Every structure is written in structure tokens, then in C-alpha cells.
Amino acid sequence: MQRIIFLITVILISSLYCTAQQEKSVVLEGKCFRPIDTIILLKSTEDERYAGVKIAIDADSTFKHEMQVQVVEEYSFVFQSEYLNGMWKPIRFYPDGKLISFKLYPPEEYERNTITGSPLTEQKKEYKLKRSANFSADLDYWYDKLYAPNQDPMTKTKAQHNIDSLTRTSFRWQQDYFSKDSSIVGYYEYYEALLMSDDIDIDDNDLKMAHKFWISKFPNHPLSEEVENLMHASDQVVVGGLYVDFDLIKKEDSGINVSEMITKNEYTIIDLWAPWCGPCIKKSKALKENYNTLKTIGVNVIAVIGGINDYSSYKKAKEKYNYPWEVYSEVNNKNKIWSKYGIPYAGGSQFLLNKKGEILAINANIDSIIA
């Protein structure tokens, strides 16, 4: 009898899990009070430069798009014209209702944008308002002091100190705010803070405590892999740290591990770059110009082309630059290489390793490598 009850329980749990994982349709519709454009729909963890679905805006300034959702994640709208001009501000939302309605305005009227039909998006809005009420005025005041023309050094130092203090306090307040309901909204706000942690002053212990909290709440959510990679990279992908292993894909259906290549040479440069990243290509060309010298001192180059959404883009970029070393592909962020190296939204980066896999330099000048 107990066995029968146990089996029924397992079946019920499995049924509930499968139901929770089933795709559901969500309709996005809206009206744009701005010039006719194209909307790019993508997850907030994706890069506009190569990801996303394009949604056309009709002649009457309305749009409608049906998407399939299996797990609730944060998404963004980006207007294509703004992206092409290099200045865009994503419109964030959660597809957690059957019908999500939008009223979208020009960038100078961003605050007028409205989104209805999404409880989580409304929760995010409420949180932003409360956080702004607590911290924005003070932060704005000290930022004005910091960047005021002809400001004296002592005032700048004081302003930076107060900005750092307010940032740390704001992050702790954020964690306390979301600890009461553990909403996925809070997880994405933590993710945003983690992305900015190199530029703003957040205490490492606070970050690690928040990391432990959110990973325990959403262990199987797609965001968790991204968060784990970034947190690991912040600890390990530093000068003196160790490289992170990943698959090298040369053909669409075959690959090897980086670890198989590193021990074969005295030094290795992992060159991660995207075809749209000018600074990345400039650094790669510098390696090419000095390749014979690099070989004489035992330096091997492993290149990976990322920031692309299909294999043909990889082949095109590889043939265009014709580098004398092996060039591998990272299509659609398949192996999460950029996140594993702590640069999820960057065009790329270069990492100089010794044969033990220790990171000797990051984005080193070519002269310092061959000296």
C-alpha cells in the first residue's frame, strides 16, 4: 500500500513538473507613439548585436506578436533605429500573462512607456520607484559634485566616497526588499548589479551572500547558469588566476577542449573576438603582424569568433581575416564562453596563459608580450 501511495505521489509530482515546463503562448501587442520602426525582442541576457526577433510595426503604428514561453524570464524591447544609432534604452518586461499590452513613446519620453497585463513587470516598476525614492536624490547630488567642471580634488574625493557608500547601502536595501518574496524580479536585479560590480562599489561579501541566496531559490532557472559563470569569472579570470575550459568548435558538429591545447605550448593566447568589434580585430591584427616572433618564443594563438547567430557568419569572418592560427566558432552563445570569461556583453578579450593554464595578462599590449 505504501509503495502504491509513493508511486502515485511521484507520478503527481512529475505531472506537475511537466505541466510547469510546458510552453504557453503569450501575445504582445501595442501602439507606438513615435515614428514607424522595427522592434527587436530578446531576452535581457542576450546581446542586441546578434540576438533577437524582429517585430514589424504596422502602418497604423500598432504591432502584435505571439511568443512561446516555457520559463518566465525577463525580456527586452529595443527599437532598431535607436540601436543602429548606437543609443538605445531597453524596455524591460516579463511575459507572465496571456496578453501583454504596450504604449511606447520616443526615447526622450521613456518614462511615459506603459506595460499592462504583467504582474511581474508591475512589481519591477514598484520596486524601481521605491528604490528611487530612497536613493536617487542623494546619488544625483553627489554625481553632480563629482562631474562638475573645475571641481576641487577634495570635493571629488568626498563625492566618490559618498557615491560608493550609497551604492553599497542601496544593494543591501535591494536584497532586503526582495528577500521577503524571493521574486524572479529580484534575481534579475541582482544579475544587473553583478554585471556592474566591476564599475560600482559593491562589497564582495554582499555579492557572494546574494549569490548564494538567489542560486538556492532558482537553481534550475536559465539565469542561474549565467550568474554562476559570471561569479566564477570574477574570482578566477584574473591575472594570477586559472583559465576556464570550454569546447572549441571548428566544424558544426565537432570540437575539442581548450585544455587539450594549452599544455602543448609554452604560452597560449586565447583571443575571443566578434566580427563587429573594431578594437578586437585591431588586437588580433597586431598578433598577426607579429606572429613569427610569437612562434619563436613559444606562443600559440587560439581564436574564437563569437557575437554571431549562424555558422555562415563564422565562415565569412574567418575567410575575411585569414589568420594563420586555428579559428573556432561560438554561435548563438552556445558554450557560454564570453560569460565564462566575465565579458558577456563585450566584443571580446585576449588572455595570455602559461602551459599550466595560469593567466599571465589580460589584453596585454603586443610589445609587452614579445619583449
Side-chain angles (χ1 to χ4, degrees), residues 288-348:
K288 184 177 182 179
E289 291 167 2
N290 293 273
Y291 189 53
N292 288 333
T293 303
L294 290 171
K295 287 194 296 183
T296 61
I297 59 176
V299 179
N300 183 45
V301 179
I302 298 174
V304 182
I305 300 176
I308 52 177
N309 58 14
D310 54 47
Y311 190 74
S312 63
S313 297
Y314 155 71
K315 291 178 67 177
K316 182 179 178 180
K318 180 183 177 183
E319 291 169 4
K320 178 179 179 179
Y321 294 102
N322 193 30
Y323 293 127
W325 48 76
E326 291 288 1
V327 179
Y328 302 90
S329 69
E330 170 72 328
V331 177
N332 281 327
N333 198 28
K334 179 180 179 181
N335 293 306
K336 305 290 190 286
I337 299 172
W338 267 240
S339 296
K340 289 175 180 178
Y341 277 77
I343 52 169
Y345 296 103

Side-chain angles (χ1 to χ4, degrees), residues 87-357:
M87 295 287 289
W88 71 95
K89 189 172 183 180
I91 300 164
R92 311 283 196 191
F93 69 95
Y94 290 87
D96 57 331
K98 292 182 178 179
L99 175 65
I100 315 294
S101 298
F102 301 80
K103 291 182 179 179
L104 304 177
Y105 293 84
E108 61 271 16
E109 300 179 69
Y110 183 87
E111 299 304 325
R112 292 187 65 189
N113 293 330
T114 60
I115 304 170
T116 56
S118 166
L120 287 174
T121 305
E122 191 61 35
Q123 183 187 31
K124 180 183 177 79
K125 180 181 177 180
E126 181 182 349
Y127 155 74
K128 291 288 188 182
L129 289 171
K130 289 182 178 179
R131 184 175 183 178
S132 178
N134 278 281
F135 300 101
S136 288
D138 288 339
L139 280 168
D140 289 345
Y141 173 82
W142 288 112
Y143 272 116
D144 287 343
K145 292 287 186 183
L146 182 65
Y147 295 112
N150 303 317
Q151 187 66 272
D152 64 275
M154 287 188 64
T155 301
K156 282 183 173 289
T157 300
K158 182 179 180 181
Q160 187 63 64
H161 172 79
N162 282 300
I163 290 168
D164 291 343
S165 178
L166 284 165
T167 301
R168 289 191 295 269
T169 303
S170 173
F171 181 73
R172 292 178 189 132
W173 178 88
Q174 172 184 305
Q175 285 304 114
D176 182 64
Y177 181 94
F178 285 110
S179 67
K180 297 177 177 61
D181 64 9
S182 305
S183 163
I184 192 66
V185 175
Y187 198 9
Y188 274 92
E189 293 303 311
Y190 160 70
Y191 169 68
E192 288 291 327
L194 182 59
L195 287 174
M196 298 174 62
S197 60
D198 286 340
D199 301 315
I200 59 177
D201 190 34
I202 301 176
D203 185 89
D204 284 346
N205 288 330
D206 288 341
L207 269 178
K208 288 177 180 177
M209 287 177 62
H211 175 82
K212 184 177 180 181
F213 173 82
W214 289 113
I215 288 292
S216 68
K217 296 296 181 182
F218 296 96
N220 300 314
H221 193 276
L223 183 62
S224 292
E225 182 182 7
E226 189 80 4
V227 165
E228 288 278 36
N229 284 337
L230 288 175
M231 201 65 181
H232 187 251
S234 69
D235 288 335
Q236 183 165 321
V237 185
V238 295
V239 175
L242 289 172
Y243 80 105
V244 180
D245 199 10
F246 59 86
D247 289 333
L248 293 165
I249 307 299
K250 188 175 180 181
K251 297 181 180 179
E252 290 182 276
D253 57 352
S254 65
I256 58 173
N257 297 119
V258 167
S259 56
E260 297 178 44
M261 307 286 288
I262 288 174
T263 56
K264 296 179 180 179
N265 297 277
E266 198 66 30
Y267 303 99
T268 299
I269 294 175
I270 295 177
D271 183 19
L272 308 179
W273 61 279
W276 41 261
C277 177
C280 302
I281 293 167
K282 184 178 179 180
K283 287 187 295 182
S284 298
K285 286 182 175 178
L287 295 180
K288 184 177 182 179
E289 291 167 2
N290 293 273
Y291 189 53
N292 288 333
T293 303
L294 290 171
K295 287 194 296 183
T296 61
I297 59 176
V299 179
N300 183 45
V301 179
I302 298 174
V304 182
I305 300 176
I308 52 177
N309 58 14
D310 54 47
Y311 190 74
S312 63
S313 297
Y314 155 71
K315 291 178 67 177
K316 182 179 178 180
K318 180 183 177 183
E319 291 169 4
K320 178 179 179 179
Y321 294 102
N322 193 30
Y323 293 127
W325 48 76
E326 291 288 1
V327 179
Y328 302 90
S329 69
E330 170 72 328
V331 177
N332 281 327
N333 198 28
K334 179 180 179 181
N335 293 306
K336 305 290 190 286
I337 299 172
W338 267 240
S339 296
K340 289 175 180 178
Y341 277 77
I343 52 169
Y345 296 103
S349 205
Q350 290 180 352
F351 304 87
L352 175 64
L353 318 174
N354 62 19
K355 67 191 313 177
K356 295 179 182 178

